[in-house]
Amino acid sequence: DIQMTQSPSSLSASVGDRVTITCRASQSIRTYLNWYQQKPGKAPKLLIYAASSLQSGVPSRFSGSGSGTDFTLTISSLQPEDFATYYCQQSHSTLYTFGQGTKLEIK
Amino acid sequence: EVQLVQSGAEVKKPGESLKISCKGSGYSFTSYWIGWVRQMPGKGLEWMGIIYPGDSDTRYSPSFQGQVTISADKSISTAYLQWSSLKASDTAMYYCARHRQGGGDCYEIDYWGQGTLVTVSS
């Protein structure tokens, strides 16, 4: 199985901050990497697919980059509604594993 | 409008069987992989497996192979997740999820059901 490791596991930041979350794959997954946001009590929401493509309707302050084994999700200027848990997911192999999640909290 | 509507919350005893459902609407049900994702209380997302309703091709995560069965009835646009003998450790929220091939060979989950909470307790 391909293992996905996110860092940090939790992060405190303020409104307006620039935030970066990292996801590392245990082997190359080319650009088969997706990012999701989940708020408490809600289903996850797709933010970024294929490493850097912005899902329709998602604000442009979200961006993704990377290829191979190392990927990043960047939020350029945090808004109050962005405080949530973020997950990466690989789709290189048929077993589409998630990272363990990064909880983004208000400082 | 694409919708995935899941069956309601369940409370079961250890050893009992269970089948939960996910009905798709607003799209061609047979043209997209649909899968299941587990979220245990206070924990992260775990991808369980997927099925292609068009031909019933099914793939499982090794962690869930043999523990659950994924199936689909394309005549009623419904996918299922079932257990033959529940354990307390199966207590979790279960989401069904439509997988889209959006960027080349990359698949992503573009629509999610609302979740079905399964509680297993004696």
Side-chain angles (χ1 to χ4, degrees):
Chain A
D1 295 9
I2 298 176
Q3 308 302 317
M4 306 301 294
T5 304
Q6 289 181 232
S7 60
S9 296
S10 63
L11 175 60
S12 293
S14 302
V15 173
D17 283 355
R18 180 182 179 89
V19 166
T20 297
I21 297 169
T22 297
C23 181
R24 175 164 287 176
S26 59
Q27 65 188 72
S28 176
I29 57 170
R30 299 168 66 179
T31 56
Y32 299 164
L33 191 283
N34 309 310
W35 290 98
Y36 302 87
Q37 176 194 66
Q38 187 181 32
K39 296 182 178 178
K42 300 293 188 182
K45 171 188 171 183
L46 177 65
L47 299 175
I48 301 287
Y49 63 95
S52 60
S53 295
L54 190 67
Q55 170 68 352
S56 175
V58 174
S60 59
R61 62 181 180 273
F62 290 93
S63 64
S65 65
S67 66
T69 60
D70 294 314
F71 301 86
T72 59
L73 172 71
T74 299
I75 310 172
S76 60
S77 178
L78 271 175
Q79 298 302 299
E81 61 268 29
D82 299 338
F83 292 95
T85 300
Y86 293 84
Y87 295 92
C88 63
Q89 181 206 28
Q90 66 82 18
S91 64
H92 180 267
S93 73
T94 310
L95 311 177
Y96 299 158
T97 43
F98 289 96
Q100 83 278 16
T102 295
K103 187 172 184 179
L104 180 52
E105 298 174 304
I106 301 173
K107 184 182 284 185
Chain B
E1 179 196 6
V2 174
Q3 285 192 304
L4 297 175
V5 179
Q6 298 185 227
S7 49
E10 301 274 1
V11 179
K12 292 289 191 178
K13 291 182 167 41
E16 291 186 331
S17 63
L18 176 64
K19 191 173 190 177
I20 62 174
S21 66
C22 169
K23 183 172 177 60
S25 62
Y27 73 100
S28 174
F29 186 74
T30 54
S31 299
Y32 290 81
W33 291 86
I34 190 160
W36 293 91
V37 175
R38 183 175 79 173
Q39 189 165 38
M40 299 176 77
K43 302 298 184 183
L45 305 172
E46 299 174 271
W47 189 88
M48 301 176 70
I50 47 172
I51 187 165
Y52 191 74
D55 61 7
S56 296
D57 187 5
T58 309
R59 319 278 173 88
Y60 292 93
S61 165
S63 300
F64 293 95
Q65 178 86 49
Q67 308 304 307
V68 297
T69 301
I70 294 171
S71 60
D73 184 340
K74 61 186 179 183
S75 70
I76 55 171
S77 301
T78 300
Y80 301 97
L81 178 65
Q82 69 180 87
W83 296 259
S84 59
S85 180
L86 286 160
K87 308 186 247 321
S89 57
D90 293 318
T91 294
M93 181 71 81
Y94 293 87
Y95 293 102
C96 65
R98 191 183 86 159
H99 290 59
R100 177 193 73 186
Q101 188 176 10
D105 291 332
C106 185
Y107 280 82
E108 61 275 350
I109 298 171
D110 62 344
Y111 284 93
W112 298 72
Q114 82 277 19
T116 295
L117 181 62
V118 174
T119 303
V120 184
S121 174
S122 54

